[in-house]
């Protein structure tokens, strides 16, 4: 049975409604969708650097907590970089983590004991 002009218009309206509904659903779900690996690395590194900076202003009893937070952030970033095949990024983050560990061991290890 051939379609008439009226049927095509109804199909267009149904398609437009479906597209609007799909866009609305995706818009609402966007905050819950996983971030890109690059963004996850950046956020983990940023939180780790913030924890490292907080070590310098922390009270003696919480320096170790800041250090642990910094290490955890860098380890998360390194893990994501390795999982996504970004060997150069993982190496850079590993060097930064090693540097922070050396600073902690030389300047903060005995603080608060």
């Amino acid at each position: 049975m051939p379609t008439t002009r009226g049927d095509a218009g109804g199909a267009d309206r149904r398609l437009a409604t479906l597209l609007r509904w799909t866009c609305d659903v995706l818009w609402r779900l966007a905050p819950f969708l996983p971030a890109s690996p690059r963004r996850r690395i950046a956020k983990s590194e940023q939180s780790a650097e913030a924890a490292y900076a907080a070590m310098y202003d922390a009270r003696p009893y919480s320096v170790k907590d800041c250090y642990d937070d910094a290490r955890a952030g860098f380890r998360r970033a390194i893990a994501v970089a390795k999982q996504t095949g970004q060997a150069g990024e993982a190496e850079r983050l590993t060097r930064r983590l090693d540097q922070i560990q050396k600073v902690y061991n030389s300047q903060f290890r005995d603080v608060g004991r």
Side-chain angles (χ1 to χ4, degrees), residues 19-86:
L19 288 174
R20 269 196 308 275
W21 180 82
T22 303
C23 289
D24 184 51
V25 168
L26 290 174
W27 179 259
R28 290 172 192 256
L29 290 176
F32 304 105
L33 296 175
S36 70
R38 193 172 300 238
R39 184 176 175 139
R40 288 178 20 219
I41 291 169
K43 287 182 84 168
S44 294
E45 183 180 9
Q46 183 180 15
S47 69
E49 290 290 354
Y52 173 65
M55 281 174 35
Y56 288 94
D57 296 326
R59 298 204 181 263
Y61 55 83
S62 61
V63 169
K64 177 79 164 87
D65 293 334
C66 295
Y67 171 63
D68 289 340
D69 291 344
R71 283 189 339 179
F74 276 109
R75 286 184 176 150
R76 275 192 310 271
I78 291 166
V80 172
K82 286 180 179 178
Q83 289 170 355
T84 57
Q86 300 179 38

